[in-house]
Coordinates of all heavy atoms in Angstrom, one line a residue:
A1175 N 36.6 39.4 -28.7 CA 36.0 39.3 -30.1 C 34.6 38.6 -30.0 O 33.7 39.0 -30.7 CB 36.9 38.5 -31.0
A1176 N 34.4 37.6 -29.1 CA 33.2 36.9 -29.0 C 32.1 37.8 -28.4 O 30.9 37.7 -28.7 CB 33.3 35.7 -28.1
A1177 N 32.5 38.7 -27.5 CA 31.5 39.6 -26.9 C 30.8 40.5 -27.9 O 29.6 40.9 -27.7 CB 32.2 40.6 -25.9
E1178 N 31.3 40.7 -29.1 CA 30.7 41.5 -30.1 C 29.7 40.6 -30.9 O 28.9 41.1 -31.6 CB 31.7 42.0 -31.1 CG 32.7 42.9 -30.4 CD 33.8 43.4 -31.4 OE1 33.7 43.0 -32.6 OE2 34.7 44.1 -31.0
L1179 N 29.7 39.3 -30.7 CA 28.8 38.4 -31.5 C 27.6 38.0 -30.7 O 26.6 37.5 -31.4 CB 29.6 37.1 -31.9 CG 30.9 37.3 -32.7 CD1 31.5 36.0 -32.9 CD2 30.6 38.0 -34.0
N1180 N 27.6 38.1 -29.4 CA 26.5 37.5 -28.7 C 26.2 38.2 -27.4 O 26.7 39.3 -27.1 CB 26.8 36.0 -28.4 CG 28.2 35.9 -27.7 OD1 28.4 36.4 -26.6 ND2 29.1 35.1 -28.3
D1181 N 25.3 37.6 -26.6 CA 24.8 38.2 -25.3 C 25.5 37.7 -24.1 O 25.0 37.9 -23.0 CB 23.3 38.0 -25.2 CG 22.9 36.6 -25.0 OD1 23.8 35.7 -25.1 OD2 21.7 36.3 -24.7
E1182 N 26.7 37.2 -24.3 CA 27.4 36.6 -23.1 C 27.7 37.6 -22.0 O 28.0 37.2 -20.9 CB 28.6 35.8 -23.6 CG 29.4 35.2 -22.5 CD 28.6 34.2 -21.7 OE1 27.6 33.7 -22.1 OE2 29.0 33.9 -20.5
G1183 N 27.8 38.9 -22.4 CA 28.1 39.9 -21.4 C 27.0 40.0 -20.3 O 27.2 40.6 -19.3
R1184 N 25.8 39.4 -20.5 CA 24.7 39.5 -19.5 C 25.1 38.7 -18.3 O 25.6 37.5 -18.4 CB 23.5 38.9 -20.2 CG 22.2 39.0 -19.3 CD 21.0 38.6 -20.1 NE 21.2 37.3 -20.7 CZ 20.3 36.3 -20.6 NH1 19.2 36.5 -19.9 NH2 20.5 35.2 -21.2
R1185 N 25.0 39.2 -17.1 CA 25.5 38.6 -15.9 C 24.4 37.7 -15.3 O 23.7 38.1 -14.4 CB 25.9 39.7 -14.9 CG 27.0 40.6 -15.3 CD 28.3 39.9 -15.6 NE 29.4 40.7 -15.6 CZ 29.9 41.3 -16.7 NH1 29.4 41.1 -17.9 NH2 31.0 42.1 -16.6
N1186 N 24.2 36.5 -15.9 CA 23.3 35.5 -15.3 C 24.1 34.7 -14.3 O 25.3 34.8 -14.1 CB 22.6 34.7 -16.3 CG 23.6 33.9 -17.1 OD1 24.7 33.6 -16.7 ND2 23.1 33.5 -18.3
K1187 N 23.4 33.7 -13.6 CA 24.1 33.0 -12.5 C 25.2 32.1 -13.0 O 26.0 31.6 -12.2 CB 23.0 32.2 -11.8 CG 22.4 31.0 -12.5 CD 21.4 30.2 -11.7 CE 20.9 29.0 -12.3 NZ 20.0 28.2 -11.5
F1188 N 25.2 31.8 -14.3 CA 26.3 30.9 -14.9 C 27.5 31.7 -15.3 O 28.5 31.1 -15.5 CB 25.7 30.1 -16.1 CG 24.5 29.3 -15.7 CD1 23.2 29.7 -16.2 CD2 24.5 28.2 -14.9 CE1 22.1 29.0 -15.9 CE2 23.4 27.5 -14.6 CZ 22.2 27.9 -15.1
Y1189 N 27.4 33.0 -15.4 CA 28.5 33.8 -16.0 C 29.7 33.7 -15.2 O 30.8 33.5 -15.8 CB 28.0 35.3 -16.1 CG 29.1 36.2 -16.6 CD1 29.3 36.4 -17.9 CD2 29.9 36.9 -15.7 CE1 30.3 37.3 -18.4 CE2 30.9 37.8 -16.1 CZ 31.1 38.0 -17.4 OH 32.0 38.8 -17.9
Y1190 N 29.6 33.8 -13.9 CA 30.8 33.8 -13.1 C 31.5 32.4 -13.0 O 32.8 32.4 -12.9 CB 30.5 34.3 -11.7 CG 30.0 35.8 -11.7 CD1 28.7 36.1 -11.6 CD2 30.9 36.8 -11.9 CE1 28.2 37.4 -11.7 CE2 30.5 38.1 -12.0 CZ 29.2 38.4 -11.9 OH 28.7 39.7 -12.0
A1191 N 30.8 31.4 -13.1 CA 31.4 30.0 -13.2 C 32.1 29.9 -14.5 O 33.2 29.3 -14.5 CB 30.3 29.0 -13.0
R1192 N 31.6 30.4 -15.5 CA 32.2 30.3 -16.8 C 33.6 31.1 -16.8 O 34.5 30.8 -17.5 CB 31.3 30.9 -18.0 CG 30.2 29.9 -18.3 CD 29.5 30.2 -19.6 NE 28.6 31.4 -19.5 CZ 27.3 31.3 -19.3 NH1 26.8 30.1 -19.2 NH2 26.6 32.4 -19.3
R1193 N 33.6 32.2 -16.0 CA 34.8 33.0 -15.9 C 35.8 32.3 -15.0 O 37.1 32.4 -15.2 CB 34.5 34.4 -15.4 CG 33.8 35.3 -16.3 CD 34.7 35.7 -17.5 NE 34.1 36.6 -18.4 CZ 34.7 37.1 -19.5 NH1 35.9 36.7 -19.8 NH2 34.0 38.0 -20.3
L1194 N 35.4 31.6 -13.9 CA 36.2 31.0 -13.0 C 37.0 29.8 -13.6 O 38.2 29.6 -13.4 CB 35.4 30.5 -11.8 CG 36.2 29.6 -10.8 CD1 37.4 30.3 -10.2 CD2 35.2 29.0 -9.8
L1195 N 36.3 29.0 -14.4 CA 36.9 27.8 -14.9 C 38.1 28.0 -15.9 O 39.1 27.3 -15.7 CB 35.8 26.9 -15.6 CG 34.7 26.4 -14.7 CD1 33.6 25.7 -15.5 CD2 35.4 25.4 -13.7
P1196 N 38.1 29.0 -16.8 CA 39.3 29.2 -17.6 C 40.4 29.7 -16.7 O 41.6 29.4 -16.9 CB 38.9 30.2 -18.7 CG 37.6 30.8 -18.2 CD 36.9 29.7 -17.3
F1197 N 40.1 30.6 -15.7 CA 41.1 31.1 -14.8 C 41.8 29.9 -14.1 O 43.1 29.8 -14.1 CB 40.5 32.0 -13.8 CG 41.5 32.4 -12.7 CD1 42.4 33.4 -13.0 CD2 41.5 31.8 -11.5 CE1 43.4 33.8 -12.0 CE2 42.3 32.2 -10.5 CZ 43.3 33.2 -10.7
L1198 N 41.0 29.0 -13.6 CA 41.6 27.8 -12.9 C 42.4 26.9 -13.8 O 43.4 26.4 -13.5 CB 40.5 27.1 -12.2 CG 40.9 25.9 -11.3 CD1 41.9 26.3 -10.2 CD2 39.7 25.2 -10.7
T1199 N 41.8 26.7 -15.0 CA 42.5 25.9 -16.0 C 43.9 26.4 -16.3 O 44.9 25.7 -16.4 CB 41.6 25.7 -17.3 OG1 40.4 25.2 -16.9 CG2 42.3 24.8 -18.3
N1200 N 43.9 27.7 -16.6 CA 45.2 28.4 -16.9 C 46.2 28.3 -15.8 O 47.4 28.1 -16.0 CB 44.9 29.8 -17.3 CG 44.1 30.0 -18.6 OD1 44.0 29.0 -19.4 ND2 43.4 31.1 -18.8
L1201 N 45.7 28.4 -14.6 CA 46.5 28.4 -13.4 C 47.1 27.0 -13.2 O 48.3 26.8 -12.9 CB 45.7 28.8 -12.2 CG 46.5 28.8 -10.8 CD1 47.6 29.9 -10.8 CD2 45.5 29.0 -9.7
L1202 N 46.3 25.9 -13.4 CA 46.7 24.6 -13.2 C 47.6 24.0 -14.3 O 48.5 23.2 -14.1 CB 45.5 23.7 -13.0 CG 44.8 23.9 -11.7 CD1 43.5 23.1 -11.7 CD2 45.6 23.5 -10.5
F1203 N 47.2 24.4 -15.6 CA 47.8 23.7 -16.7 C 48.7 24.6 -17.6 O 49.2 24.1 -18.6 CB 46.7 23.1 -17.6 CG 45.9 22.0 -16.8 CD1 44.7 22.3 -16.2 CD2 46.4 20.7 -16.7 CE1 44.0 21.4 -15.5 CE2 45.7 19.8 -16.0 CZ 44.5 20.1 -15.4
G1204 N 48.8 25.9 -17.3 CA 49.6 26.8 -18.1 C 49.0 27.1 -19.5 O 49.7 27.5 -20.4
T1205 N 47.7 26.9 -19.6 CA 47.0 27.2 -20.9 C 46.7 28.7 -20.9 O 46.9 29.4 -19.9 CB 45.7 26.4 -21.0 OG1 44.9 26.6 -19.8 CG2 46.0 24.9 -21.2
R1206 N 46.1 29.2 -22.0 CA 45.7 30.6 -22.1 C 44.3 30.6 -22.7 O 43.9 31.3 -23.6 CB 46.6 31.3 -23.1 CG 48.1 31.3 -22.5 CD 49.0 32.1 -23.4 NE 48.7 33.5 -23.4 CZ 49.3 34.4 -24.2 NH1 50.3 34.1 -25.0 NH2 48.9 35.7 -24.1
L1207 N 43.4 29.9 -22.0 CA 42.0 29.8 -22.5 C 41.2 31.0 -21.9 O 41.4 31.5 -20.8 CB 41.3 28.5 -22.0 CG 41.9 27.2 -22.5 CD1 41.2 26.0 -21.9 CD2 41.7 27.2 -24.0
T1208 N 40.2 31.4 -22.7 CA 39.2 32.3 -22.2 C 37.9 31.6 -21.9 O 37.0 32.2 -21.2 CB 38.9 33.4 -23.3 OG1 38.4 32.8 -24.5 CG2 40.2 34.2 -23.6
D1209 N 37.6 30.4 -22.4 CA 36.4 29.7 -22.2 C 36.6 28.2 -22.1 O 36.7 27.6 -23.2 CB 35.4 30.1 -23.3 CG 34.0 29.6 -23.1 OD1 33.7 29.0 -22.0 OD2 33.1 29.9 -23.9
E1210 N 36.7 27.7 -20.9 CA 36.9 26.2 -20.8 C 35.6 25.4 -20.9 O 35.6 24.3 -21.4 CB 37.6 25.9 -19.4 CG 38.0 24.5 -19.2 CD 36.9 23.5 -19.0 OE1 35.9 23.9 -18.2 OE2 36.9 22.4 -19.5
A1211 N 34.5 26.0 -20.4 CA 33.2 25.2 -20.3 C 32.4 25.2 -21.6 O 31.3 24.7 -21.6 CB 32.4 25.7 -19.1
T1212 N 33.0 25.8 -22.6 CA 32.2 25.9 -23.9 C 31.9 24.4 -24.4 O 32.6 23.5 -24.2 CB 33.1 26.6 -25.0 OG1 32.3 26.6 -26.2 CG2 34.4 25.9 -25.2
C1213 N 30.7 24.3 -25.0 CA 30.3 23.1 -25.6 C 31.1 22.8 -26.8 O 31.5 21.7 -27.1 CB 28.8 23.1 -26.0 SG 28.3 21.8 -27.1

C-alpha cells in the first residue's frame, strides 16, 4: 500500500538495507514488519 504513495520503489543504496532489517527483525522476534528502520 505504501508503494502507491511514494518513490520508495527506487533502488538506491539504502533500499536493500531497509529490506534486510525487517526480514531480520521478523526472523529474530517473530514480528510481521515490513519496515523496521522507519523514522
Side-chain angles (χ1 to χ4, degrees):
E1178 301 176 4
L1179 302 178
N1180 54 59
D1181 65 353
E1182 179 55 25
R1184 186 170 52 128
R1185 300 298 199 266
N1186 61 24
K1187 70 177 184 178
F1188 304 107
Y1189 176 84
Y1190 296 102
R1192 285 193 286 263
R1193 288 291 184 181
L1194 170 64
L1195 291 174
F1197 171 80
L1198 182 59
T1199 303
N1200 296 340
L1201 181 66
L1202 290 172
F1203 299 97
T1205 53
R1206 300 183 65 181
L1207 293 177
T1208 62
D1209 191 357
E1210 188 284 320
T1212 178
C1213 165

